[in-house]
Amino acid sequence: MTAKTAATWADSERARFDPARHERELVAILDEVTSAPVRDSQALDRILKKHPRDGCGLFSRSELIAGFRHFAARRHWPVDEAEMLEVLRLRPVRTHSGVTPVTVLTKPFPCPGRCLFCPSDVRMPKSYLADEPGAQRAEANGFDPYRQTWSRLDALRSVGHPVDKVELIVLGGTWSHYPEPYQIWFVERCLRALCDFARGVDAREAPARVRDEDLPEPVDGLTPGRSYNQVIRPLLAARHGNSLLAANECASWADLGRVQRENESAGCRCVGLSLETRPDCVTPDEVHRIRRLGATKVQIGIQSLSDRVLEANRRGHDVAVSRRALRWLRAAGLKIQAHWMPNLYGSSPADDVADFARLFDDADFRPDELKLYPCSLIASADLMAVYASGDWRPYSEAELLEVVEACLVQTPPYCRVTRVIRDFSSGDIVDGNRTANLREVAERRLRDRGLRCRDIRGREIRGRSCQEHELSLGALEYATSVGREVFLQFTTHDDRIAAFLRLCLPDGPSFLDEVRESALVREVHVYGPSLPVGERASGRPQHRGLGRALLERAAQLAREAGFDTLSVISAVGTRAYYRDLGFADGSLYQHRRLGP
């Protein structure tokens, strides 16, 4: 299918909204919105009700944005597009962390794990359920990486989010267990979608439709001898002619290199790439491959720091393996987002609180980001049999809240707690937590007791304005398994974080020759609403030189520590930025020589 034909098919599939058909109503709404301040969604809703769509319904935010873009040139409203988007944007918090996240899922594929708690939805990659929002989008796009990425960019832009700086988050099963050609192809197609979207090219093809009768029967955690892998392997082999991959699900390193170079200057740049894997899949060769793909962050399932609990839950590795994996990842400069699970079989609330404390007391761990995933019972998990026997039960709401509160207050300021629950629908949960806003409830209870969360997410400046003179530069230092870590941060007087940098000062040579004797910048992040490349906004932290100032301070600290090279683990889309700051391209990293 040609790009032109694919675009025609995509347009008919989406039945794109035509603002010209609704000019009278849209112009009336936008005239009101631009003539007087609209400070909240209730005020906007009142205007929308005065000018209904087709006399009965309300225009969506995306339709209002489309109307503004269509009529702005001849209406000369007294606001520009950026100001209008501030009023109309849906869920602005989504891009308040400085970048626009785009999540895509790999296809269903065998998994090396046999975890007791893991869901086994055979329509999805292992551990994901079809009712999760990201999984629904993936299935609708046939798990095609190009379609998922392009469609998500289109949806985000239609509701007012900037899409020029994208953090690409790849989820699904165990990434390291997928064949290398599929890994390369998947990332290459995601990057191709970013480049194409920026140029206005839509090369999406219709996904292969799977008939209901072709879907396998669901896996039941109470039925022995019929595991996820036992269903998925023959299913993929039947679809792909005795292969687990389709003929077109392969690409070469040369293919990937070409699109990486194109994306360096594309209108939609990949400024971060996150992959997820298991500790027992992490090896020096795997770390090298992950980095070659362009990854800057690894999500890794630690789950517990108790060998007894890991064994009871059939995790397949012990704590020593997690220690080794994190050491290799950190030595390579990769950001570490650990997954940790309270309420596992064999644990207790008191055990969990003590286990969480070890995450930060022990220098071998101390992750940069954290997902707390309280164990919930899903019908397809093998935990069902343990539950039926009475040997495991989910914590009560009070017990779980006490564990979550204890974890949140123990999280240090250099770590970001990204999530507190899995995004399972309540209908998928047989037993366990169904409170979707568990973190919000826990934080409210902490405030009532005069406590607060000091993790990064709890301190982000988000949409708040600030000027440079309101910020101060501070540093937190702590030991890790590979040396000394320095967390540099620009904060306001009330400890709101506007920007930070993670600097690793190794106490020995790295296993990667390219950074063998280097100090490593592992992350530079400026918070506040995401702004397009090169654009500045008064009082916003982005594009005001905070990243440059952090890098200069990191260079100074590295020089004082005796290093003659500062290396940075850059994403494909940030290479040009670092070149402008004096970093030269290497094979997997960028490097800056430090003078005397």
Side-chain angles (χ1 to χ4, degrees):
M1 185 182 291
T2 66
K4 183 177 180 180
T5 305
T8 302
W9 170 84
D11 285 346
S12 64
E13 181 198 53
R14 289 194 305 269
R16 280 192 174 279
F17 174 70
D18 180 10
R21 284 191 57 241
H22 307 277
E23 180 172 358
R24 182 175 60 82
E25 297 92 339
L26 285 172
V27 168
I29 292 170
L30 294 168
D31 280 344
E32 285 200 50
V33 170
T34 57
S35 63
V38 177
R39 304 191 184 281
D40 53 46
S41 59
Q42 288 80 11
L44 180 59
D45 287 344
R46 286 193 291 272
I47 296 174
L48 293 176
K49 289 174 182 177
K50 290 165 60 178
H51 308 281
R53 176 179 175 175
D54 297 326
C56 58
L58 300 183
F59 288 97
S60 69
R61 301 294 202 278
S62 62
E63 291 167 345
L64 295 180
I65 292 169
F68 183 87
R69 288 169 173 158
H70 186 82
F71 300 119
R74 54 191 173 88
R75 295 297 302 184
H76 304 295
W77 282 303
V79 298
D80 60 20
E81 183 172 324
E83 293 170 310
M84 180 57 71
L85 293 182
E86 283 294 306
V87 176
L88 300 181
R89 183 177 295 146
L90 275 175
R91 300 191 70 185
V93 70
R94 188 183 300 280
T95 49
H96 272 180
S97 291
V99 297
T100 301
V102 170
T103 300
V104 292
L105 266 70
T106 52
K107 72 175 190 176
F109 201 79
C111 177
R114 298 188 307 110
C115 305
L116 200 65
F117 48 79
C118 191
S120 295
D121 188 334
V122 292
R123 297 167 292 177
M124 292 289 127
K126 192 70 163 74
S127 90
Y128 288 87
L129 297 178
D131 287 340
E132 296 180 75
Q136 290 178 335
R137 293 194 297 267
E139 187 175 31
N141 286 288
F143 296 97
D144 178 83
Y146 184 97
R147 280 184 51 82
Q148 289 185 70
T149 305
W150 207 104
S151 301
R152 190 62 178 145
L153 292 171
D154 192 31
L156 288 166
R157 185 181 182 279
S158 72
V159 293
H161 292 290
V163 293
D164 63 325
K165 294 182 297 185
V166 168
E167 180 186 16
L168 193 61
I169 302 169
V170 181
L171 302 179
T174 300
W175 171 264
S176 302
H177 198 61
Y178 286 81
E180 182 178 280
Y182 178 85
Q183 295 181 14
I184 300 169
W185 170 79
F186 196 95
V187 175
E188 189 269 341
R189 295 304 292 159
C190 290
L191 294 180
R192 172 53 57 201
L194 291 174
C195 296
D196 282 359
F197 187 85
R199 295 186 294 117
V201 174
D202 183 354
R204 290 174 294 173
E205 296 186 1
R209 299 296 182 185
V210 178
R211 299 173 302 176
D212 289 343
E213 56 267 29
D214 292 336
L215 290 171
E217 289 296 317
V219 171
D220 184 342
L222 292 173
T223 304
R226 192 169 182 272
S227 69
Y228 177 90
N229 286 359
Q230 288 171 322
V231 174
I232 288 296
R233 284 186 182 277
L235 180 67
L236 292 176
R239 288 179 181 172
H240 305 318
N242 293 323
S243 171
L244 298 182
L245 298 181
N248 66 337
E249 292 176 337
C250 299
S252 69
W253 287 110
D255 297 330
L256 177 61
R258 281 190 290 271
V259 75
Q260 285 178 334
R261 287 188 292 274
E262 182 180 344
N263 191 251
E264 290 179 13
S265 57
C268 296
R269 301 180 192 177
C270 178
V271 299
L273 172 59
S274 173
L275 306 173
E276 66 175 344
T277 192
R278 293 167 50 96
D280 51 347
C281 289
V282 177
T283 65
D285 287 344
E286 178 64 9
V287 172
H288 185 275
R289 176 166 45 249
I290 284 171
R291 185 64 202 119
R292 194 176 177 188
L293 290 165
T296 53
K297 180 194 297 182
V298 170
Q299 298 194 46
I300 186 164
I302 292 175
Q303 318 306 13
S304 174
L305 298 186
S306 165
D307 283 340
R308 177 183 58 80
V309 172
L310 291 174
E311 183 177 5
N313 287 271
R314 302 200 317 243
R315 181 59 180 162
H317 65 81
D318 59 13
V319 178
V321 170
S322 295
R323 292 181 188 276
R324 184 182 64 200
L326 265 63
R327 186 178 304 117
W328 280 327
L329 294 172
R330 194 183 295 275
L334 288 154
K335 293 177 286 295
I336 298 167
Q337 185 177 79
H339 297 184
W340 179 82
M341 296 184 66
N343 202 179
L344 288 174
Y345 173 50
S347 192
S348 69
D351 289 343
D352 285 341
V353 173
D355 195 79
F356 185 88
R358 287 193 288 273
L359 269 177
F360 297 102
D361 290 342
D362 192 323
D364 283 349
F365 297 102
R366 297 180 175 167
D368 307 304
E369 298 182 7
L370 192 62
K371 288 184 176 180
L372 303 183
Y373 284 155
C375 184
S376 292
L377 183 64
I378 307 299
S380 57
D382 289 348
L383 185 61
M384 281 290 294
V386 184
Y387 175 75
S389 72
D391 291 336
W392 176 87
R393 67 169 180 85
Y395 297 160
S396 68
E397 181 180 4
E399 288 174 322
L400 183 56
L401 274 170
E402 287 181 7
V403 171
V404 171
E405 290 166 30
C407 293
L408 290 176
V409 296
Q410 288 184 80
T411 305
Y414 60 78
C415 180
R416 186 179 195 269
V417 179
T418 308
R419 293 190 68 91
V420 171
I421 61 164
R422 279 291 298 269
D423 205 4
F424 294 148
S425 73
S426 59
D428 284 323
I429 299 173
V430 177
D431 202 352
N433 172 66
R434 288 184 172 87
T435 303
N437 63 334
L438 191 63
R439 174 168 181 150
E440 181 183 344
V441 173
E443 286 183 331
R444 185 165 58 244
R445 285 165 50 107
L446 289 172
R447 285 195 298 271
D448 291 343
R449 289 156 46 199
L451 301 172
R452 61 171 290 200
C453 302
R454 296 201 62 229
D455 78 305
I456 292 173
R457 183 174 179 179
R459 298 188 298 127
E460 290 175 13
I461 200 164
R462 295 184 182 268
R464 174 175 156 182
S465 296
C466 70
Q467 303 298 330
E468 285 92 335
H469 69 270
E470 299 178 77
L471 300 174
S472 59
L473 177 59
L476 296 172
E477 296 191 18
Y478 54 98
T480 70
S481 56
V482 301
R484 181 161 56 104
E485 190 87 11
V486 184
F487 182 78
L488 297 171
Q489 56 178 343
F490 274 112
T491 56
T492 61
H493 70 279
D494 58 348
D495 198 33
R496 294 294 173 183
I497 188 167
F500 70 82
L501 179 149
R502 299 185 190 275
L503 173 64
C504 177
L505 302 171
D507 56 14
S510 171
F511 69 94
L512 290 169
D513 288 340
E514 187 176 337
V515 290
R516 189 169 182 81
E517 305 291 345
S518 296
L520 266 172
V521 174
R522 300 174 52 243
E523 181 177 15
V524 180
H525 199 113
V526 180
Y527 281 105
S530 179
L531 296 176
V533 173
E535 183 177 303
R536 297 184 66 177
S538 177
R540 298 287 175 80
Q542 287 214 337
H543 305 174
R544 304 189 69 84
L546 298 184
R548 179 187 295 266
L550 288 167
L551 283 163
E552 291 305 319
R553 178 57 178 155
Q556 180 184 356
L557 291 174
R559 189 183 302 113
E560 292 172 355
F563 293 90
D564 60 12
T565 303
L566 179 65
S567 301
V568 61
I569 180 169
S570 53
V572 171
T574 60
R575 290 173 181 170
Y577 169 78
Y578 288 111
R579 289 185 196 118
D580 289 344
L581 297 179
F583 287 82
D585 294 351
S587 176
L588 303 177
Y589 301 83
Q590 291 177 285
H591 313 279
R592 176 175 160 185
R593 298 289 295 177
L594 302 175

